[in-house]
Amino acid sequence: MDTSSKSTTFSSRSGISRTGLEARLFARPEGLPAPGDFEITEVAVPDPAPGQVLVRNLFMSLDPGMLMLLAGRPGLPMPRYEVGEVMHGDAIGEVIASADPSLDEGDLVMHRLGWREYAVARAGLFRRVDRDAYPRPSTYLSFGLVAYVGLMDAAELRPGDTVFVSSAAGATGSMAGQIARLKGAARVIGSAGSRDKVAHLTGSLGFDAAFDRHDGPIVDRLREAAPEGIDVYFDNVGGEQLRAAIEVMNPHGRVAVCGTLGRRSEASPGDLLSVLVKRLTLRGFTVGDHLERAPEFGAQFRTWLREGAIVHDETVIEGLANAPQALLDLVNGAYTGKTVVRLGS
Ligand SMILES: NC(=O)c1ccc[n+]([C@@H]2O[C@H](COP(=O)([O-])OP(=O)(O)OC[C@H]3O[C@@H](n4cnc5c(N)ncnc54)[C@H](OP(=O)(O)O)[C@@H]3O)[C@@H](O)[C@H]2O)c1
C-alpha cells in the first residue's frame, strides 16, 4: 500500500489551499484483497459548484460488504469498486462550504462518499442528521437498522422466540442479539470467534448463552446452548452455522439471511429435506429495501441508547491510510462491534 502521500499542495478556486486523502482501488483482488490493492493519494479539493456542497468527512464505515464490491461479482445491490476510481461507503461529515440552499455550513450529514477526507458533490446526495445525536455522531454508521429489519421483516420475530445470531460480537450481530431481546425474545444465543468475544456476549451484551465457533462441531454447541431448539436464526455467515441452525430449528422456524462471511463454495445452504419437513422459511434481505423503517428505528435506537438499554460497541481506526489493512483485520475477526475510521484530524 502506498501510504506515503504526495506532498504537493494545490490551490482551490477561492485561492485557499486545501488537499485531502482519498483511496482508490489499484488492482481488483483475486479472493481476499492485500493492502497493495489500494492506493491512497492526496488530491486538490475544489470549492463547491452551484448546487453542490463541500463536506469534511469525520468518520466512515468499514464493513465486510466492501469485499464484495472489491471482488465485483455481478448482481450486487450497489455499484462495485472500479480500478482507478475512488471507493465509496457510508460516511458522516460536516458541511464546510455550501452552494445550495438545502444545506448550511456546520450541518452534519450522512452520505455514501466515504474513503475520502473531503467530499464535493451535489447537495441531494447528502442527508442532514442531528448534530447532537446521543451519544456521538459516529453512531449514525451503526448497523442497528440492518439487525432491526432482519429480525422484524425477514425473520418475523415473535415474543417468546429463541434466537441464534452468528458473528454475534460484530457490528450487525451485536445489535441483532440485543434488539431480539428488547423485542421479546425469550432466549438469545450467539456465536463468535474467540473466548474474549464469547465472554463479552454473555457479559456486557446480555446474551443468555454463547460459544466459540472454533470449539468443535457447531451443531453440538448449538444443541447444548438451545436444548429446546431455535425459532429464529439471524445468519451473518452461512456455511456450517446455517447448516447447524437448520438442524436445530423448531418447526416453522425462520432464518434471516443477512451475510455469507463463512460460506465456502458449497451450493446448498443445508439439509433442504429438513427445511421442507419443518416448514422453515429462509429469507434473504438487504437493508436498502427497508429504508422506510429508518425513522422508526432511529427514534427507538436513540431512546434505547439514552436509557442504557442497548450497548453500541465501536472500534475506531485512526486515519484513511490505515483503512485498507483494517478492512482485512476486520474480516479476520480482529475487532468488536461496529468498525469506523476517523478521517482527517
Ligand atoms: N443484508 C444486508 O443488508 C447487510 C448489511 C450490512 C452487512 N451485511 C452483512 O452482514 C454480515 C456482518 O457484517 P458486519 O459489518 O456486522 O461484520 P462484523 O460481524 O462486524 O465483522 C466480521 C466478523 O465476521 C466474522 N467472521 C469472519 N470470517 C468468518 C467465518 N469464516 N465464519 C464465521 N464468522 C466469520 C468475524 O467474527 P468472529 O471473530 O466473531 O467470528 C469478524 O469479526 C456480513 O456478511 C455483511 O456483508 C448485510
Side-chain angles (χ1 to χ4, degrees):
M1 173 182 43
D2 176 15
T3 54
S4 55
S5 46
K6 295 171 192 128
S7 57
T8 332
T9 54
F10 303 83
S11 290
S12 69
R13 272 173 264 148
S14 64
I16 301 166
S17 180
R18 181 180 287 122
T19 65
L21 297 181
E22 57 186 32
R24 289 166 200 275
L25 178 60
F26 185 70
R28 191 171 303 288
E30 303 273 340
L32 275 184
D37 295 329
F38 303 82
E39 184 183 39
I40 311 273
T41 47
E42 186 167 7
V43 296
V45 178
D47 288 340
Q52 292 188 328
V53 293
L54 167 59
V55 170
R56 183 171 66 90
N57 281 337
L58 303 173
F59 292 94
M60 71 170 207
S61 170
L62 267 194
D63 52 86
M66 290 168 170
L67 292 189
M68 292 193 292
L69 306 185
L70 284 167
R73 279 175 43 189
L76 296 172
M78 57 185 71
R80 68 178 194 172
Y81 298 142
E82 297 296 346
V83 173
E85 290 185 10
V86 187
M87 293 156 60
H88 51 83
D90 290 345
I92 186 137
E94 183 182 20
V95 176
I96 57 170
S98 176
D100 189 87
S102 66
L103 287 169
D104 295 321
E105 242 178 73
D107 281 346
L108 192 71
V109 287
M110 247 197 102
H111 58 97
R112 299 247 344 121
L113 298 172
W115 289 97
R116 68 203 83 189
E117 291 182 329
Y118 293 91
V120 192
R122 92 186 142 75
L125 294 179
F126 301 89
R127 180 168 64 88
R128 186 192 288 112
V129 293
D130 180 5
R131 273 203 80 86
D132 304 315
Y134 181 85
R136 52 190 178 274
S138 57
T139 47
Y140 276 112
L141 300 175
S142 151
F143 275 179
L145 180 64
V146 181
Y148 187 75
V149 303
L151 289 167
M152 307 307 289
D153 296 331
E156 298 181 6
L157 179 76
R158 297 167 197 161
D161 278 344
T162 293
V163 177
F164 170 48
V165 181
S166 53
S167 195
T172 313
S174 61
M175 291 287 107
Q178 295 181 87
I179 292 170
R181 164 59 47 73
L182 286 162
K183 286 292 184 183
R187 183 168 174 77
V188 180
I189 297 151
S191 66
S194 73
R195 273 178 206 290
D196 284 352
K197 287 184 181 180
V198 166
H200 183 56
L201 293 178
T202 52
S204 329
L205 301 190
F207 283 61
D208 298 287
F211 59 86
D212 186 333
R213 66 183 170 90
H214 302 104
D215 278 352
I218 304 274
V219 70
D220 295 345
R221 300 292 81 77
L222 189 54
R223 276 194 211 288
E224 286 160 12
E228 316 228 321
I230 60 172
D231 305 299
V232 164
Y233 172 41
F234 191 100
D235 185 16
N236 282 313
V237 303
E240 187 188 351
Q241 304 212 45
L242 175 56
R243 288 195 292 277
I246 288 172
E247 264 192 65
V248 178
M249 201 151 244
N250 293 326
H252 303 286
R254 288 93 61 208
V255 180
V257 179
C258 177
T260 57
L261 281 161
R263 204 175 70 95
R264 304 269 179 262
S265 54
E266 68 267 18
S268 164
D271 178 4
L272 293 182
L273 184 59
S274 288
V275 173
L276 182 160
V277 171
K278 293 198 261 184
R279 286 84 153 172
L280 307 183
T281 305
L282 278 72
R283 188 176 290 157
F285 73 97
T286 68
V287 67
D289 289 345
H290 299 263
L291 294 181
E292 77 288 350
R293 287 273 202 185
E296 155 200 338
F297 172 72
Q300 179 73 91
F301 184 47
R302 295 292 157 197
T303 305
W304 284 333
L305 286 168
R306 238 178 274 110
E307 291 173 348
I310 198 163
V311 175
H312 184 259
D313 291 323
E314 194 173 77
T315 298
V316 180
I317 306 298
E318 294 296 337
L320 185 62
N322 292 317
Q325 182 59 51
L327 179 60
L328 305 181
D329 293 342
L330 165 64
V331 291
N332 286 325
Y335 308 130
T336 302
K338 178 67 199 158
T339 303
V340 298
V341 180
R342 195 196 312 271
L343 297 165
S345 48

